[in-house]
Amino acid sequence: MSAHCQLTGRKPGFGNSVSHSHRRTSRRFDPNIQRKRYWLPSEGRHIRLTLSAKGLKTVDTIGIEAAVARVRARGEKV
């Protein structure tokens, strides 16, 4: 599963781990990705979205219908 949010578009960030001796090695900062199943009343079916924690809160605020419209506007298939 790729670590990106279908609603907000959040993706992993990259940087360095810095040890006590200040040696640097590459690391990856992954967003908090969750898979969540929602009932979509307009289509009479369930959909499964891959969302970040921020995306989950956004769905709670704007509703699933508006969220799906945003996901489709980004070009994602739902």
Side-chain angles (χ1 to χ4, degrees):
M1 173 176 76
S2 63
H4 85 281
C5 177
Q6 290 181 299
L7 182 59
T8 62
R10 289 179 185 238
K11 297 183 290 192
F14 295 90
N16 291 312
S17 291
V18 183
S19 71
H20 179 69
S21 64
H22 217 63
R23 289 179 64 101
R24 292 163 189 248
T25 55
S26 294
R27 64 160 292 180
R28 188 171 134 146
F29 296 89
D30 284 329
N32 183 6
I33 297 293
Q34 312 289 324
R35 282 177 56 92
K36 179 91 166 117
R37 188 172 160 225
Y38 290 100
W39 173 251
L40 197 58
S42 64
E43 297 182 17
R45 67 186 181 107
H46 286 96
I47 58 166
R48 192 176 300 276
L49 294 176
T50 305
L51 301 171
S52 62
K54 172 87 175 196
L56 288 172
K57 292 177 190 175
T58 303
V59 171
D60 289 343
T61 303
I62 66 173
I64 187 61
E65 297 288 345
V68 168
R70 283 191 193 178
V71 169
R72 287 183 174 148
R74 290 186 74 240
E76 301 258 354
K77 185 179 175 194
V78 178

